[in-house]
Amino acid sequence: MPSKVAIVAGTRPEIIKTSPLIKELESRGADYFLIYTGQHYNYEMEKVFFEQLSLPTPRYNLGIRSSAPFLQGEHTGRMLIDIEKIILDEKPGIVLTQGDTNSTLAGSLTTRKLATTAPFTNINVMLGHVEAGLRSYDRTMPEEANRIIADHLSDFLFAPTQRAADNMLKEGIHRSRISVTGNTIVDALNDAVKTSSRNEILDKLGLDRGYVLATFHRQENADVREKFSNVMGAFGRVHNKFGKPVVYPVHPRSRKLMERFDIVPPEGVVLIDPIGFMEFLKLEQEASLILTDSGGVQEESCVLRVPCVTLRENTERPETIDVGANILAGTDPDKIVECADIMMERKRNWENPFGDGKSSKKIVDIILR
Ligand code: UD1
Ligand code: UDP
């Protein structure tokens, strides 16, 4: 009988991307539980996803919020302490972390450390990292440190693509630890498109199909006044050039910074609160173009065949560029408008590089074996 599985998650994208794993474990009657760190906590950043994805309430919700986004050590440290207690108590055979957040780092580090304490604790725990091997090679991003550490600590590495697997091989990680499984986001999208007929969101916002959808929240972008105001100006120029509204569901981090920087949206830029996954998926599907600095949104636009302009100088998802779904613009307004022009014309006939929607099945097969 397979041993107990613990899943660690704490943010919007982790809830979405672990949801197919949770469903797969449930459907096999596996012994598993979820530790939710509480990194994201507003209703529209947390609970709405548990509701829409029909996920069970986490066995543990640690309620650990970041008191200030720059206090990364305090944030991660409090998670380490609480996750350690749970692992000691529950004694799972494997802990799974996903992605590249502080919750990923804390779950990975605690597990690895505990795995060395067997003589005292009788803990025999392994570590698996889902969405392993992504690299932006940009050391200014907190996510890059988190994903490198998680990969190097893990016993099982679930790479979404061969390219991600190759990144890890180049760093000396042994091939026996790596499996190419695709990305669980494809599983989540396949499931969600069956139920997502929520045209209400378009009606509610008074939108016709073909608008531009935008998101912007990354620390290295949104925290810099000049970049944020440049990008907001570029959104206004995209509206003027194409005569389409630019709809921007604003992440709480960005909302706070907009207020601090006194950034006022130009005409044609429609700011809304963050929305549920089903509504966001609908907004992605009906958009003519997506402007984003999100990792997950780059993947989704690629899978859904909606052209994407990435508001960053680099990406850890280069597969999206290789297939022609995405282009890097950075935060320079001229470049953003130029790239929007290119991508508006892009033929939507590229292949999805992120797998066949059976990633969670492959991952669960491996860990239960
Ligand atoms: C985190 C991840 C980032 C991921 C993003 C997904 C890290 C280092 N960063 O960034 O990789 O892309 O989640 O969205 O783990 N806040 C709220 N309500 C919430 C959540 C956040 O008000 O529900 C505010 C708080 O002021 C908080 C700030 O946003 O201090 C930043 O939140 P934090 O979780 O530290 O980072 P994110 O920017 O969300
Ligand atoms: N998303 C959502 N509502 C929103 C914005 C995004 O449901 O208002 C979803 C989106 O579909 C994707 C995920 O959130 O699955 C991306 O999260 P985010 O951009 O916060 O994080 P990243 O992927 O950059 O780590």
Side-chain angles (χ1 to χ4, degrees):
M1 185 64 192
S3 59
K4 204 190 284 189
V5 181
I7 297 178
V8 178
T11 63
R12 167 168 79 183
E14 288 164 292
I15 305 169
I16 294 168
K17 286 175 168 174
T18 57
S19 66
L21 289 168
I22 292 172
K23 287 179 186 164
E24 189 65 31
L25 287 163
E26 286 255 338
S27 75
R28 299 194 197 191
D31 187 7
Y32 84 95
F33 65 97
L34 176 63
I35 305 173
Y36 188 73
T37 64
Q39 179 169 348
H40 284 176
Y41 51 91
N42 290 356
Y43 173 81
E44 64 274 16
M45 296 297 287
E46 178 198 3
K47 288 236 163 45
V48 67
F49 302 106
F50 281 92
E51 289 171 7
Q52 291 193 344
L53 298 166
S54 307
L55 296 173
T57 307
R59 188 173 299 173
Y60 299 93
N61 189 333
L62 309 181
I64 299 173
R65 304 173 175 188
S66 77
S67 54
F70 54 87
L71 288 176
Q72 306 255 328
E74 178 193 275
H75 194 210
T76 312
R78 289 173 55 216
M79 291 182 198
L80 286 172
I81 293 169
D82 285 8
I83 297 172
E84 181 172 70
K85 285 187 197 132
I86 296 167
I87 298 177
L88 280 167
D89 198 34
E90 293 269 3
K91 298 191 172 42
I94 183 160
V95 174
L96 289 182
T97 62
Q98 196 284 335
D100 54 20
T101 69
N102 288 347
S103 301
T104 316
L105 174 64
S108 305
L109 191 51
T110 323
T111 305
R112 185 78 253 138
K113 288 283 190 183
L114 274 176
T116 66
T117 65
F120 305 100
T121 58
N122 253 334
I123 292 282
N124 188 5
V125 64
M126 300 193 98
L127 175 64
H129 185 210
V130 177
E131 202 178 74
L134 275 61
R135 296 288 181 270
S136 64
Y137 300 102
D138 177 352
R139 291 169 61 87
T140 66
M141 299 176 68
E143 294 86 359
E144 185 73 355
N146 294 343
R147 55 174 90 97
I148 291 173
I149 294 169
D151 286 342
H152 282 263
L153 297 183
S154 293
D155 304 293
F156 295 92
L157 293 147
F158 302 110
T161 63
Q162 186 57 48
R163 185 160 175 161
D166 290 343
N167 290 339
M168 293 188 282
L169 291 171
K170 275 186 243 154
E171 290 172 14
I173 293 177
H174 198 270
R175 64 175 66 249
S176 60
R177 286 157 61 192
I178 303 172
S179 312
V180 178
T181 58
N183 195 310
T184 57
I185 193 61
V186 183
D187 313 21
L189 286 173
N190 286 351
D191 219 26
V193 288
K194 289 184 211 146
T195 50
S196 155
S197 55
R198 302 211 179 187
N199 271 320
E200 298 105 84
I201 185 71
L202 269 69
D203 296 341
K204 191 173 157 201
L205 299 172
L207 289 172
D208 294 324
R209 298 177 64 198
Y211 48 83
V212 176
L213 177 63
T215 78
F216 189 73
H217 76 278
R218 294 229 89 81
Q219 177 183 305
E220 70 277 13
N221 270 341
D223 287 24
V224 183
R225 181 196 294 264
E226 198 192 348
K227 286 191 185 179
F228 205 153
S229 68
N230 277 348
V231 164
M232 202 55 102
F235 289 173
R237 284 177 56 188
V238 167
H239 162 70
N240 290 338
K241 186 167 172 75
F242 300 102
K244 295 168 188 289
V246 177
V247 184
Y248 173 16
V250 188
H251 188 291
R253 177 191 204 104
S254 310
R255 180 70 77 177
K256 287 178 188 167
L257 288 158
M258 278 181 80
E259 280 159 22
R260 172 152 8 124
F261 297 156
D262 280 328
I263 293 174
V264 180
E267 207 200 311
V269 179
V270 183
L271 303 190
I272 59 171
D273 285 335
I275 48 179
F277 185 51
M278 299 304 166
E279 290 81 7
F280 191 77
L281 175 56
K282 193 74 202 166
L283 282 191
E284 288 178 307
Q285 285 175 308
E286 304 298 345
S288 56
L289 181 70
I290 295 179
L291 309 174
T292 192
D293 63 357
S294 157
V297 177
Q298 288 175 66
E299 291 160 355
E300 288 171 0
S301 60
C302 182
V303 175
L304 299 168
R305 294 218 176 90
V306 182
C308 181
V309 173
T310 291
L311 308 168
R312 291 175 45 192
E313 305 294 340
N314 51 58
T315 179
E316 58 292 312
R317 276 103 175 159
E319 298 87 348
T320 59
I321 297 177
D322 294 346
V323 298
N326 189 13
I327 188 168
L328 294 178
T331 54
D332 175 70
D334 291 339
K335 186 87 199 250
I336 293 171
V337 176
E338 187 192 314
C339 289
D341 214 11
I342 295 169
M343 292 311 283
M344 276 284 190
E345 297 302 314
R346 188 59 53 98
K347 256 191 148 170
R348 302 174 174 213
N349 58 358
W350 56 79
E351 293 294 318
N352 155 30
F354 294 116
D356 57 5
K358 298 196 175 103
S359 308
S360 47
K361 185 179 177 315
K362 290 174 195 155
I363 293 168
V364 171
D365 278 346
I366 293 167
I367 58 170
L368 294 188
R369 223 187 294 142

